[in-house]
Amino acid sequence: MSERVTETYNQQCLNGKTGLLHAMARAEFPPLFHESCGHRLLPRPFFIDEPQMRGFAADIRSVFDLLTQLPDRLFGGDLDAYCKALGIPERQAALMCRFAGGEPVPYGRADIYHDGTSFKLLEFNVGSELGGADRAEIQRALLDVPDFRDFAEEQRLTYVHTGERIAAALRTAAAPLTGGADPVVALVEGDGGLAPYLHLVRSFQEMMQRLGIDLRVGEVSQIREQDGRLLLDGTPVDVVLRYFSAAQTVRTPGGEEAIEPILRAHEEGRVVLFTTFQSSLYANKGCLALLSDERGREAFTAAEQDLVDRVLPWTRELTPTLVEHCREHREQLIVKPRADFAGSGIHVGWELTDLEWRQVLDETAGRGFIAQERVVPRREPVVSPETGRTEDWMAAWDVFLTPDGYAGSHIRALPYGEGAVVGMGANPACRTSGPFLVPA
């Protein structure tokens, strides 16, 4: 169904329906969103069958549950052994395990490709340090463009607004402190960490304020404690939306001491830390290797094994014993660091020579990297408003997850052939958009 909608949309653009062809350019976006990424928008949204997207989102929730059970399933509940297996340094592990007694909050973003038949999970960003939520403003703005609104009504298109779902999750988390009133939320980054992506944070703040959430932005050293409350900008805070990481904290001199007032306030019920470092126990890419590895399959039921095989491409810890296999399958493999993000440290086998690939494997084997099977994304045809020609793009989709389930998606895309790592920070040719759901 979604292929038919895409074909119809593109054909109308090619047949002279300029209102559709220029819908993205004519949409009125919020000022800070426009400043942040208005110059990096795809000409059109993408379309996906609603049952397929919601079905995959349900699979992602099941994968989340499996990830959070890995310490018990594979290590007999020994978190120290689990952290060592993932290469998590002791000081980081101590922070992550501090709140490990409770149930992890199902909050995160799964990064996925569509291979033409189904979605495949590439990475799972578990925890509160998420980007891209503000891109739901793309669909909202497009529906205010008359020609696109007519098209959406004809095709019965819908979407899930990620910001609305996050706002609901924050209100629920804060309810014990606020009694149901709208909370004051402090998005808190580590000292010196905001500058590189402040424009993205301001766009997110703009969206959340429109949704009735008083979201303040600051860094750890700006948090004050007074009369038992945490304050930012002199205002008492109900929820700390954590963007500082455990790795960042231990790298910063005095980092553990600086965040201690926040952690203690959470323990004592004076603020809600959304989410705790516990989430970071399951954000390491090595977790996916643990799920995929045949050596642990007996710990999972047949249905769980089927889920992993259906959703996750072959993923393994890159050990010295795996090097020879990886050498022989260069064109089908990509190597990634377990703990980095935003496309850093990635080595793409099919873009390297045999010699270069051999050097990569020799340098990374046994040093905290995973090898993952290549997923070839389907081609997404987009009509260019500048040239009038149809061009193929490759898209990285995602699934946002909150405690209420599927919380929307956004798109990052590259012109086909412009590279293998699809990320706004990894490639200046990358563009962004949002998907609409096509009913069955």
Side-chain angles (χ1 to χ4, degrees), residues 77-202:
D78 187 340
L79 281 176
D80 287 339
Y82 172 78
C83 290
K84 287 177 181 176
L86 293 175
I88 301 173
E90 288 186 11
R91 285 171 61 194
Q92 284 180 231
L95 286 173
M96 294 177 184
C97 295
R98 179 164 174 174
F99 297 101
E103 287 294 322
V105 176
Y107 186 78
R109 192 195 73 218
D111 292 344
I112 60 181
Y113 273 173
H114 197 294
D115 65 7
T117 300
S118 62
F119 284 115
K120 298 294 183 184
L121 172 64
L122 305 180
E123 301 177 9
F124 201 166
N125 305 283
V126 178
S128 47
E129 316 99 289
L130 303 179
D134 62 325
R135 309 299 161 78
E137 296 290 73
I138 294 173
Q139 294 102 306
R140 186 177 71 87
L142 281 173
L143 288 173
D144 286 333
V145 178
D147 284 305
F148 185 86
R149 182 174 60 246
D150 291 345
F151 181 85
E153 290 174 354
E154 290 169 4
Q155 304 295 332
R156 298 184 296 129
L157 304 178
T158 60
Y159 77 103
V160 176
H161 194 287
T162 303
E164 293 176 358
R165 298 304 172 91
I166 292 175
L170 293 173
R171 287 187 174 99
T172 299
L177 290 173
T178 65
D182 286 340
V184 176
V185 178
L187 186 156
V188 181
E189 177 56 280
D191 288 345
L194 273 175
Y197 65 102
L198 184 59
H199 62 293
L200 301 174
V201 171
R202 292 301 187 195

Side-chain angles (χ1 to χ4, degrees), residues 200-233:
L200 301 174
V201 171
R202 292 301 187 195
S203 176
F204 177 70
Q205 179 186 38
E206 175 183 61
M207 176 183 69
M208 298 308 291
Q209 289 177 340
R210 182 184 65 78
L211 294 169
I213 299 293
D214 183 359
L215 183 77
R216 310 295 177 96
V217 174
E219 296 184 343
V220 168
S221 63
Q222 295 176 281
I223 295 292
R224 298 286 183 266
E225 196 168 10
Q226 179 179 309
D227 299 328
R229 297 296 303 273
L230 297 185
L231 281 70
L232 179 60
D233 299 331

Side-chain angles (χ1 to χ4, degrees), residues 168-345:
L170 293 173
R171 287 187 174 99
T172 299
L177 290 173
T178 65
D182 286 340
V184 176
V185 178
L187 186 156
V188 181
E189 177 56 280
D191 288 345
L194 273 175
Y197 65 102
L198 184 59
H199 62 293
L200 301 174
V201 171
R202 292 301 187 195
S203 176
F204 177 70
Q205 179 186 38
E206 175 183 61
M207 176 183 69
M208 298 308 291
Q209 289 177 340
R210 182 184 65 78
L211 294 169
I213 299 293
D214 183 359
L215 183 77
R216 310 295 177 96
V217 174
E219 296 184 343
V220 168
S221 63
Q222 295 176 281
I223 295 292
R224 298 286 183 266
E225 196 168 10
Q226 179 179 309
D227 299 328
R229 297 296 303 273
L230 297 185
L231 281 70
L232 179 60
D233 299 331
T235 301
V237 171
D238 302 303
V239 179
V240 171
L241 182 59
R242 179 183 60 81
Y243 272 68
F244 54 92
S245 70
Q248 176 190 46
T249 298
V250 300
R251 285 196 307 266
T252 303
E256 288 103 318
E257 292 79 7
I259 65 169
E260 181 59 28
I262 299 174
L263 304 187
R264 188 173 59 248
H266 174 76
E267 286 175 326
E268 296 173 358
R270 294 182 283 114
V271 78
V272 174
L273 181 58
F274 192 90
T275 59
T276 72
F277 286 130
Q278 180 189 20
S279 295
S280 303
L281 287 168
Y282 315 108
N284 187 297
K285 297 181 185 69
C287 298
L288 300 183
L290 291 175
L291 275 185
S292 177
D293 199 317
E294 294 179 356
R295 291 174 295 179
R297 287 181 74 85
E298 70 277 1
F300 304 101
T301 68
E304 290 167 345
Q305 292 175 19
D306 178 68
L307 168 70
V308 172
D309 292 342
R310 183 173 69 250
V311 168
L312 184 63
W314 182 95
T315 306
R316 294 290 188 276
E317 180 76 13
L318 182 51
T319 62
T321 58
L322 195 63
V323 166
E324 190 58 37
H325 171 86
C326 292
R327 283 177 178 171
E328 296 173 0
H329 296 85
R330 171 180 60 78
E331 294 189 356
Q332 286 79 46
L333 292 175
I334 187 168
V335 167
K336 308 175 182 179
R338 285 183 302 206
D340 283 350
F341 62 97
S344 61

Side-chain angles (χ1 to χ4, degrees), residues 318 330 333-337 343-352 356-357 359-361 363-364 369-370 372 420-421:
L318 182 51
R330 171 180 60 78
L333 292 175
I334 187 168
V335 167
K336 308 175 182 179
S344 61
I346 291 178
H347 304 279
V348 181
W350 58 94
E351 292 186 342
L352 302 176
E356 291 169 335
W357 182 239
Q359 292 172 335
V360 164
L361 296 177
E363 292 170 3
T364 57
F369 285 75
I370 64 167
Q372 188 174 72
V421 180

